[in-house]
């Protein structure tokens, strides 16, 4: 690393509250446990989405820097792979302690760069922390199987790490998604090169700083950039597996490129999550749940409920959803009364507003229109108020495309069968929920719906890490899901050993009672 400038431990920008960042603040690379100033001439500016203030400049890593990160990870892996699962378990306990102690700091960086409200940002950290806690049980996860297959002959399995693995992250969960990746990779004995979103890099840098005091150098490296960085990580021969979370375009490209280069790849992608509302549902519960899941985090969750299918008389409740949505408070994420903050960028806001307009143009009714919402204290923020579109059809753009904003598209259906057919015809399969008091309807829904994560009277059924994140259809490419048992499987390869230790070789031995001497 001689050619790279090494920096002190505070090599990432501080983002306390809404304090203005210097436009000169840069986000560092984290290579071989050092914060390093990139030598690139190509930088991406990160803005606070509530204020447009510049938070930091993110480098597009040079090829030399990327090569250095892969080299350091590869070297670190050679030692780390020899550590015991018990050693790695202790490291996970240290990591969970460090993250817990720094949860507020992490959450504040998320509010500043991503825009979500502070409590939700704490939830972002908490859901990632749970993966680390689960990895503290790595000793159990790695238990193998054993059978005496013949007389004196045993076959047993061991799970071995792959080597260097790469993680490529989206903007919307700046702590949780890096924590879906590198703790599982390290606990299973791998080294990791992580690329956070170029729009929300700071939480990953805080996690790197916390990891620096826990893990040997080179085990976790953080690089930045966009397409060129991704293209390096998906082709470099030292990288054995790629984990991706983000949109469809990048996901397909990354999956194809990584697998063409002989790597394992797991790619979580876009979504259109439906809720079916039956007329026998607990109305209060269903409407509150739908409003929270559609508009919370400004709809920028991959498990946000973006479509509600009202069956029969439940169609009369659309106005009630709109009234609840109207009560939600839109504000900067640090404001105590905020329910939802801004969208990530002016471009994302523009796209969402165009999709709302397309719905009106194509004949839907915009029951609640959040366009042009005024937020007094943050006049420059990328705010879109909760928006409810009614009488949409599956042909409309607002249904066909992932809006990724606080917009709920409502559709009417006559029967549960019709609603189920509609959900199943959608190309995505991330999540789907039903609201009903009928066990029979819930059971039918659960067994027939083609979505990977199913909620029954639960709006955002993201499983805790003793399970795995199980999106399917167009929301996922790959075989092994993120975290939990599937995540451990993704980052490890099985080895089977068959050994023969003949009993008679032991029978010949006579115990000696003499003091051993050297001849
Ligand atoms: P994105 O696809 O724009 O970016 C994700 C990552 O891919 C970033 O690190 C980015 O640098 C890189 N990237 C972007 N375009 C690329 C390209 N053409 N070639 C190579 N790399 C590229 O996604 P985003 O806007 O940051 O995140 C929002 C999307 O992520 C939504 O579609 C959302 O549904 C999805 N998401 C899915 C899940 C899930 O678990 N299914 C979770 C969170 C977010």
């Amino acid at each position: 690393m001689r050619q790279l400038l090494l920096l002190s431990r505070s090599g990432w920008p501080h983002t306390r509250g809404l304090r203005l960042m210097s436009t000169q603040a840069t986000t560092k690379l984290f290579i071989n446990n050092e914060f390093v100033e990139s030598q690139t001439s190509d930088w991406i500016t990160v803005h606070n989405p509530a204020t447009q203030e510049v938070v930091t400049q993110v480098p597009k890593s040079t090829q030399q820097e990327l090569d250095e990160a892969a080299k350091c990870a590869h070297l670190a892996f050679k030692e780390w792979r020899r550590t015991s699962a018990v050693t790695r378990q202790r490291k996970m306990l240290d990591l969970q302690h460090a993250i817990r102690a720094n949860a507020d700091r992490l959450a504040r960086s998320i509010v500043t760069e991503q825009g979500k409200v502070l409590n939700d940002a704490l939830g972002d950290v908490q859901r990632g922390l749970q993966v680390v806690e689960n990895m503290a049980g790595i000793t159990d996860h790695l238990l193998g199987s054993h059978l005496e297959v013949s007389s004196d002959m045993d076959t047993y399995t061991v799970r071995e790490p792959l080597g260097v693995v790469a993680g490529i992250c989206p903007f919307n969960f700046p702590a949780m998604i890096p924590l879906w990746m590198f703790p599982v990779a390290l606990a299973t004995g791998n080294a990791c090169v992580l690329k956070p979103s170029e729009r929300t890099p700071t939480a990953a840098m805080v996690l790197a700083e916390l990891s620096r005091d826990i893990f040997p150098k080179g085990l976790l490296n953080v690089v930045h950039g966009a397409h060129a960085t991704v293209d390096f990580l998906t082709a470099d021969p030292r990288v054995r597996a790629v984990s991706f979370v983000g949109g469809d375009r990048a996901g397909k490209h990354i999956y194809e490129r990584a697998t063409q280069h002989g790597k394992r790849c797991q790619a979580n992608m876009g979504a259109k999550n439906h809720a079916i509302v039956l007329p026998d549902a607990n109305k209060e519960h269903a409407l509150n749940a739908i409003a929270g899941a559609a508009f919370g985090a400004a709809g920028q969750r991959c498990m946000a409920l973006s479509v509600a299918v009202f069956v029969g008389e439940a169609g009369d409740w659309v106005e009630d959803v709109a009234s609840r949505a109207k009560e939600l408070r839109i504000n900067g994420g640090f404001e105590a009364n905020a329910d939802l903050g801004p969208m990530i960028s002016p471009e994302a806001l523009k796209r969402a507003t165009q999709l709302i307009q397309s719905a009106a143009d194509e004949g839907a009714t915009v029951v609640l229109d959040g366009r042009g919402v005024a937020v007094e204290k943050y006049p420059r923020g990328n705010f879109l108020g909760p928006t409810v579109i009614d009488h949409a059809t599956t042909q409309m753009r607002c249904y066909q495309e992932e809006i990724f904003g606080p917009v709920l598209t409502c559709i009417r259906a006559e029967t549960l069968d019709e609603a189920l057919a509609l959900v199943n015809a959608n190309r995505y399969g991330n999540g789907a929920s039903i609201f009903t008091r009928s066990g029979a309807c819930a059971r039918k829904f659960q067994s027939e719906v083609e979505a990977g994560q199913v909620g029954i009277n639960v709006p955002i059924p993201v499983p805790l890490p003793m399970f795995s994140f199980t999106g399917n259809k167009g929301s996922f490419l790959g075989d092994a899901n993120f975290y939990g048992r599937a995540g451990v499987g993704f980052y490890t390869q099985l080895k089977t050993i068959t050994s023969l230790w003949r009993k008679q070789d032991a029978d010949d031995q006579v115990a000696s009672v003499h003091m051993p001497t050297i001849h």
Side-chain angles (χ1 to χ4, degrees):
M1 293 297 297
R2 236 167 298 143
Q3 61 278 58
L4 304 178
L5 173 65
L6 303 185
L7 294 178
S8 69
R9 61 177 294 120
S10 55
W12 55 276
H14 293 275
T15 50
R16 301 295 284 177
L18 283 178
R19 210 174 66 190
L20 255 179
M21 300 304 305
S22 154
T23 51
Q24 299 309 310
T26 55
T27 294
K28 311 307 174 210
L29 306 165
F30 182 69
I31 299 177
N32 221 22
N33 273 10
E34 302 284 356
F35 288 99
V36 182
E37 180 79 43
S38 174
Q39 299 304 296
T40 188
S41 53
D42 211 351
W43 297 83
I44 302 162
T45 304
V46 175
H47 294 98
N48 179 324
T51 63
Q52 309 304 342
E53 288 158 359
V54 173
V55 180
T56 182
Q57 305 280 346
V58 182
K60 290 190 181 171
S61 310
T62 65
Q63 289 296 309
Q64 193 187 12
E65 289 159 352
L66 295 170
D67 183 64
E68 191 68 26
K71 190 175 93 189
C72 293
H74 194 238
L75 270 175
F77 168 67
K78 290 185 175 171
E79 293 294 319
W80 184 245
R81 67 171 305 172
R82 283 198 277 269
T83 57
S84 70
V86 175
T87 300
R88 301 199 297 266
Q89 177 179 50
R90 281 194 209 111
K91 298 284 186 194
M92 288 298 136
L93 290 167
D94 292 345
L95 182 63
Q96 80 85 26
H97 178 74
I99 294 171
R100 195 174 287 284
N102 286 274
D104 189 59
R105 183 176 158 212
L106 280 159
R108 285 177 176 277
S109 81
I110 293 170
V111 177
T112 304
E113 287 180 355
Q114 202 273 356
K116 62 178 75 173
V117 304
L118 187 57
N119 269 341
D120 199 32
L122 282 164
D124 186 329
V125 177
Q126 175 66 21
R127 291 306 296 255
L129 183 60
Q130 287 166 338
V131 174
V132 180
E133 288 169 348
N134 185 255
M135 282 301 105
I138 191 64
T139 42
D140 282 0
H141 284 297
L142 291 181
L143 280 177
S145 47
H146 168 261
L147 185 71
E148 185 173 358
V149 289
S150 180
S151 191
D152 295 341
M153 182 177 277
D154 302 287
T155 297
Y156 53 96
T157 60
V158 288
R159 280 204 170 271
E160 296 195 331
L162 303 175
V164 179
V165 299
I168 300 166
C169 308
F171 80 85
N172 64 329
F173 282 100
M176 180 183 83
I177 288 176
L179 289 169
W180 283 5
M181 297 174 179
F182 83 84
V184 187
L186 268 51
T188 46
N190 299 282
C192 184
V193 180
L194 187 75
K195 190 197 97 59
S197 167
E198 64 277 25
R199 296 189 272 179
T200 55
T202 298
M205 299 317 289
V206 177
L207 293 170
E209 188 192 310
L210 303 178
S211 299
R212 172 160 121 154
D213 297 334
I214 297 168
F215 298 104
K217 63 180 186 179
L219 213 54
L220 172 65
N221 303 274
V222 184
V223 296
H224 301 287
H227 302 29
T229 302
V230 166
D231 283 353
F232 175 90
L233 294 174
T234 45
D236 187 88
R238 288 162 293 196
V239 175
R240 296 283 316 281
V242 178
S243 298
F244 167 81
V245 179
D248 294 354
R249 191 149 163 258
K252 282 178 193 149
H253 169 71
I254 287 167
Y255 184 81
E256 277 164 22
R257 193 171 156 89
T259 51
Q260 271 165 13
H261 284 87
K263 304 178 196 319
R264 286 187 185 186
C265 188
Q266 52 178 187
N268 268 7
M269 301 183 296
K272 202 81 180 169
N273 306 304
H274 294 64
I276 295 182
V277 187
L278 297 188
D280 71 349
N282 175 330
K283 182 177 169 186
E284 284 302 301
H285 171 71
L287 298 187
N288 286 334
I290 289 169
F295 309 117
Q300 297 178 121
R301 293 182 183 130
C302 62
M303 284 291 282
L305 277 181
S306 49
V307 182
V309 187
F310 290 92
V311 177
E313 291 152 24
D316 297 343
W317 300 353
V318 174
E319 288 291 342
D320 299 298
V321 177
S323 325
R324 274 173 178 73
K326 222 183 276 180
E327 286 163 18
L328 296 173
R329 292 155 302 186
I330 306 139
N331 215 334
F334 286 110
E335 301 300 328
N337 66 353
D339 291 313
L340 59 143
M343 294 184 66
I344 185 68
S345 64
E347 295 73 30
L349 172 62
K350 187 173 167 203
R351 187 175 162 274
T353 56
Q354 283 172 349
L355 283 164
I356 297 167
Q357 186 55 44
S358 77
D361 295 345
E362 290 179 78
T365 316
V366 182
V367 180
L368 179 65
D369 192 343
R371 288 175 290 178
V373 66
V375 179
E376 207 182 335
K377 196 167 163 189
Y378 301 94
R380 300 188 63 213
N382 312 318
F383 291 99
L384 176 62
T387 298
V388 178
I389 297 169
D390 195 14
H391 296 293
T393 67
T394 54
Q395 285 75 43
M396 292 179 180
R397 267 187 72 203
C398 66
Y399 179 81
Q400 287 289 333
E401 295 182 29
E402 184 185 33
I403 302 177
F404 222 54
V407 182
L408 178 69
T409 302
C410 300
I411 298 186
R412 315 295 181 96
E414 287 303 315
T415 62
L416 173 58
D417 282 327
E418 190 192 330
L420 257 169
L422 186 151
V423 176
N424 288 345
N426 192 276
R427 68 179 185 279
Y428 290 116
N430 220 31
S433 293
I434 189 166
F435 291 89
T436 179
R437 282 193 176 103
S438 158
C441 291
R443 209 156 192 291
K444 178 183 167 78
F445 174 77
Q446 171 229 290
S447 67
E448 292 183 19
V449 73
E450 293 167 8
Q453 303 175 100
V454 176
I456 295 172
N457 297 317
V458 172
I460 305 187
V462 176
L464 289 172
M466 61 291 286
F467 301 95
S468 299
F469 189 99
T470 50
N472 67 24
K473 285 169 65 183
S475 298
F476 180 67
L477 283 172
D479 303 305
N481 293 119
F482 280 83
Y483 64 79
R485 204 166 291 178
V488 169
F490 179 75
Y491 286 124
T492 54
Q493 53 200 347
L494 268 180
K495 186 181 266 180
T496 54
I497 298 113
T498 300
S499 68
L500 176 64
W501 295 106
R502 289 190 186 283
K503 208 181 291 122
Q504 59 263 38
D505 291 344
D507 292 344
D508 298 336
Q509 305 297 320
V510 178
S512 168
V513 290
H514 301 301
M515 185 69 181
T517 53
I518 297 166
H519 299 286

